[in-house]
Amino acid sequence: MVSFTQLISAALLATSALAVPHKMSHSHFHHQRSSSSSGGKRGAAYNDASLVHVLSGSNSTVGWAYDWNMAKNGGLPSDIEYVPMLWGAKMFGGWAVAIETALSSGSKYILGFNEPDMSSQASMTADEAASAYKNHITPYSGKAKLVSPSVTNSGSDNMGLSWMKSFLNQCSDCKLSGLAVHWYGESADDFKSFVNDAISLAKNNNMDEVWVTEFALNSDLNGGSTSKSAKFLAEVVPWLESQDTVTRYAYYMCKDGYLLSGNGLSESGQAYLS
């Protein structure tokens, strides 16, 4: 029999690959206080909880964090809200115990599956995802606010917002509060256009929150903090803050070579927090 500890350990090992995005030709594919929490909109996507401390502090604009997982896997700063995610089918077995632990520790939101529209990620049809969401996440409505699966920004059939539309049609009774998306591309204009499309879809389905839980320029995917990414962040972060419907966002990611450089902030990390 596989123990819960073994399940969590396996999940932790898996996270090193979970969030690796797949670049696509169609630009595929986290300060103000937000009413959605006691912290800010800006978040930290991480694999190592200890690194989130670099983004926190008395003047930090980061209010929440997640690790593509259902357990923190380390100690987060006390002022950072942890948001658990049910990544996909490989984590169903340990979910019930893990989510009760997260909720009792103060988590107020639950994130759905990670890129179910991608065969290399959670890989679910909209049908399968709706059924699994109703079984594993909807029962916690009332204990937490529920956020949809996170889809890519692919424009292909049955991917991205097309997949999301199908999911929402089959999940009208899932008690969703928010819609989650990812974006990887080339420009701030493309990013804003995609997020605006997500905002419209959310509003059309009676949701008042959009979460952008992964986003970055394609050029940043292999690491390297550049002036290009810093310039991109300097434009899009204030824009995200100005969008009332966007209640959470997290840049990819809290890791050395990305938002961090050694024990400090990289150039893009400084732009993200400014």
Side-chain angles (χ1 to χ4, degrees):
M1 180 178 291
V2 179
S3 71
F4 174 64
T5 300
Q6 289 172 315
L7 283 166
I8 288 298
S9 297
L12 176 58
L13 289 173
T15 54
S16 62
L18 295 187
V20 177
H22 175 71
K23 286 186 282 186
M24 305 180 71
S25 59
H26 183 79
S27 64
H28 164 74
F29 185 104
H30 246 120
H31 169 71
Q32 297 173 347
R33 294 291 178 181
S34 165
S35 60
S36 66
S37 79
S38 58
K41 293 184 181 187
R42 213 163 313 184
Y46 72 93
N47 288 149
D48 182 346
S50 67
L51 296 180
V52 179
H53 290 264
V54 181
L55 301 181
S56 69
S58 59
N59 295 317
S60 177
T61 53
V62 171
W64 68 283
Y66 84 108
D67 59 349
W68 297 275
N69 210 334
M70 53 192 180
K72 293 179 183 179
N73 295 314
L76 288 172
S78 60
D79 59 342
I80 300 292
E81 178 192 348
Y82 175 68
V83 180
M85 167 187 274
L86 178 53
W87 186 90
K90 67 175 69 176
M91 293 187 179
F92 287 172
W95 174 246
V97 174
I99 190 57
E100 289 292 354
T101 299
L103 295 178
S104 66
S105 298
S107 295
K108 299 176 178 64
Y109 286 88
I110 299 173
L111 289 168
F113 317 122
N114 188 69
E115 298 187 354
D117 56 324
M118 283 285 289
S119 59
S120 61
Q121 296 296 314
S123 189
M124 298 176 175
T125 65
D127 232 6
E128 292 169 339
S131 177
Y133 200 99
K134 292 174 188 177
N135 287 337
H136 295 286
I137 301 180
T138 299
Y140 297 98
S141 174
K143 294 184 177 181
K145 287 190 174 183
L146 312 182
V147 183
S148 79
S150 306
V151 294
T152 70
N153 59 303
S154 170
S156 301
D157 290 342
N158 299 315
M159 293 187 73
L161 295 182
S162 173
W163 184 100
M164 183 66 78
K165 289 175 184 176
S166 297
F167 170 81
L168 294 175
N169 286 338
Q170 298 171 66
C171 221
S172 59
D173 56 346
C174 286
K175 300 182 179 179
L176 294 164
S177 294
L179 185 151
V181 293
H182 293 171
W183 179 91
Y184 292 89
E186 302 296 337
S187 72
D189 286 345
D190 182 66
F191 174 74
K192 293 175 186 178
S193 177
F194 174 71
V195 174
N196 276 326
D197 287 344
I199 289 172
S200 295
L201 181 58
K203 289 181 176 179
N204 289 340
N205 286 272
N206 301 312
M207 286 180 282
D208 57 6
E209 295 193 41
V210 167
W211 291 40
V212 188
T213 51
E214 281 183 42
F215 72 103
L217 293 174
N218 283 331
S219 58
D220 291 344
L221 295 185
N222 294 320
S225 172
T226 66
S227 56
K228 182 180 179 181
S229 57
K231 183 178 179 181
F232 170 76
L233 284 165
E235 179 174 349
V236 302
V237 167
W239 182 81
L240 288 168
E241 289 290 332
S242 73
Q243 305 303 305
D244 290 341
T245 306
V246 177
T247 55
R248 296 279 174 94
Y249 59 88
Y251 201 63
Y252 186 84
M253 62 179 294
C254 182
K255 181 179 179 181
D256 185 33
Y258 294 83
L259 291 177
L260 307 183
S261 178
N263 295 321
L265 296 172
S266 65
E267 186 176 2
S268 57
Q270 292 172 23
Y272 185 57
L273 295 188
S274 63

